[in-house]
Amino acid sequence: MSAGTSTHGAEPEELDLNDPRLSHFEIMREGARRDGIEIVHYEPPFPIVGTKAERRLTRTISLFFLLTGLASLAFLAIYIWWPWEYEPGSGDDKVFTPLLGLTLGLALLGIGFGILAWGKKLLPKEVSIQGRHDGGSDPESRKIAGSTIVYMAEELGFKRRPLLGFAALAGLAPVGLVAAAPLIGGLIKQPHENNQMFTTGWAPKDGHKVRLTREDGTPLRPEDVSAGGQLTVFPGIEDGVSNKHADSPTLLIHLRDDDARTARAANEGADHPNFMWGNYIAFSKICTHAGCPASLYEQQTNRLLCPCHQSQFLITNNARPVFGPASRRLPQLPIEVDEEGFFVATSDFTETVGPDFWERP
């Protein structure tokens, strides 16, 4: 019985599976018959091996896989060697993330188109019908299963289309490296070395503490914020209110006496005994969930609300999250008043500002 012939009609005799003249397809078809599977249609895409159409299709699919490999290698090169540290103005660091997205996207498209074209154009079209049955696996059934697997591998065409095998290997191997790169990247280079996520505009400049200023750059005195009030402040440095220091906006809050005592006790419990000045306390305005501005202050409950996803932070308890998706407290800015009576930051934030990141200790 040849491939493509229907199995309708009289019940054929069982084949001798040890007959060396049998092909893997014939053994597989015999096993299917014994399992109650009827192959009603079988059509190889290229009955004649080595036609121009088959070679052209093989080259096309190989190009897809090679594109995957090249794009994956480009991703790795950009990930490892491209400058990514932020610098003011327009520079190569601005295209780091877009280039990663472009190369990874091309790699995944190459895989997708290659596999789809291979499955639709090179693999045989087969329609089989199988009934349910019970029973164990006898030696002949195991032989049938093994031959079926070998036959499936043969139908993939690696032996008669070696270019496809080479292209698949060359294209897919770098994809594994791409998946591993972010995981092992921190083992290649110390991730905390000169980490920008630990430095904001509040870091002392040339040994001088940075003043808290309004948006127009004027410094603040304690009497500028009434009891129960709050004010958004910025580092009093060049470009302190610009996007260059977008991680620095801070909320300065003047707590009432009872609330200030509660906050001071919480600070001492968190090993921040000197972060407040009098009844004044300051927290980062960048929500630790998704980086939105957490600026809606409710003075009766001392809660700070982020309007994006409704996270709420309790100011009198180290700005710990009490509602919503945020899971980490807002970093607190240590403050004092200098000899001229203006608020200054005694140091930078001691915790990372904004959404958490995986290498945070």
Side-chain angles (χ1 to χ4, degrees):
M1 186 183 301
S2 61
T5 304
S6 172
T7 57
H8 290 296
E11 185 73 17
E13 296 181 359
E14 288 191 358
L15 297 179
D16 180 7
L17 298 180
N18 294 313
D19 187 345
R21 295 172 298 175
L22 294 180
S23 66
H24 291 299
F25 175 76
E26 290 172 323
I27 295 176
M28 182 273 296
R29 186 178 56 191
E30 172 65 13
R33 186 190 66 78
R34 295 184 185 185
D35 282 339
I37 302 172
E38 180 184 4
I39 301 177
V40 297
H41 178 76
Y42 183 88
E43 178 185 353
F46 296 101
I48 300 177
V49 178
T51 63
K52 289 184 177 180
E54 181 182 10
R55 292 197 299 269
R56 183 169 57 251
L57 185 58
T58 299
R59 289 192 296 267
T60 301
I61 297 174
S62 299
L63 285 176
F64 282 131
F65 288 127
L66 291 176
L67 171 64
T68 294
L70 291 174
S72 299
L73 292 175
F75 176 97
L76 291 171
I78 294 168
Y79 181 82
I80 295 172
W81 290 295
W82 196 274
W84 59 269
E85 293 87 349
Y86 172 79
E87 295 180 359
S90 58
D92 292 342
D93 58 295
K94 305 302 185 300
V95 295
F96 175 72
T97 300
L99 285 176
L100 290 181
L102 176 63
T103 52
L104 183 59
L106 288 174
L108 296 179
L109 282 175
I111 293 176
F113 282 119
I115 292 177
L116 285 175
W118 196 339
K120 292 181 68 67
K121 300 297 184 179
L122 286 184
L123 295 184
K125 296 177 176 60
E126 178 182 313
V127 178
S128 302
I129 300 174
Q130 180 182 18
R132 293 180 179 271
H133 65 88
D134 298 321
S137 298
D138 53 52
E140 288 194 337
S141 296
R142 291 194 292 270
K143 181 177 179 62
I144 290 170
S147 291
T148 300
I149 294 173
V150 173
Y151 169 72
M152 291 171 62
E154 290 177 348
E155 286 301 303
L156 288 175
F158 284 120
K159 286 186 177 180
R160 89 168 181 245
R161 306 182 187 108
L163 178 61
L164 273 181
F166 171 78
L169 179 62
L172 298 180
V175 176
L177 297 177
V178 167
L183 301 178
I184 64 176
L187 302 177
I188 298 174
K189 182 180 179 181
Q190 166 58 262
H192 302 297
E193 182 180 351
N194 300 322
N195 199 321
Q196 293 172 294
M197 298 190 77
F198 289 109
T199 304
T200 71
W202 297 110
K205 302 296 186 291
D206 300 324
H208 298 290
K209 298 173 182 177
V210 177
R211 283 181 172 176
L212 280 62
T213 67
R214 299 178 178 85
E215 190 171 2
D216 60 6
T218 57
L220 285 167
R221 297 180 183 272
E223 56 268 24
D224 294 332
V225 185
S226 59
Q230 52 85 22
L231 187 68
T232 299
V233 295
F234 305 87
I237 58 176
E238 184 179 1
D239 299 322
V241 299
S242 69
N243 286 336
K244 181 179 178 180
H245 297 286
D247 55 359
S248 301
T250 301
L251 206 63
L252 176 65
I253 303 172
H254 186 178
L255 295 172
R256 303 182 191 279
D257 291 340
D258 291 342
D259 296 331
R261 281 192 290 270
T262 302
R264 194 171 296 108
N267 268 10
E268 291 175 356
D271 200 23
H272 294 165
N274 301 317
F275 277 35
M276 292 178 62
W277 185 87
N279 290 356
Y280 295 83
I281 194 168
F283 289 99
S284 169
K285 195 176 178 179
I286 311 301
C287 180
T288 54
H289 169 236
C292 297
S295 56
L296 302 180
Y297 177 58
E298 211 293 305
Q299 60 174 280
Q300 299 300 320
T301 61
N302 287 302
R303 290 191 179 193
L304 191 62
L305 171 69
C306 176
C308 291
H309 306 99
Q310 312 306 308
S311 292
Q312 296 181 25
F313 304 88
L314 186 58
I315 295 302
T316 54
N317 188 17
N318 296 296
R320 293 187 182 277
V322 293
F323 182 82
S327 60
R328 187 167 64 91
R329 67 188 182 189
L330 297 173
Q332 186 174 353
L333 183 70
I335 58 174
E336 66 179 13
V337 172
D338 63 15
E339 63 276 3
E340 297 182 30
F342 294 108
F343 278 115
V344 294
T346 61
S347 74
D348 202 347
F349 290 104
T350 57
E351 299 178 72
T352 54
V353 170
D356 210 349
F357 57 103
W358 70 270
E359 66 256 28
R360 178 175 178 267

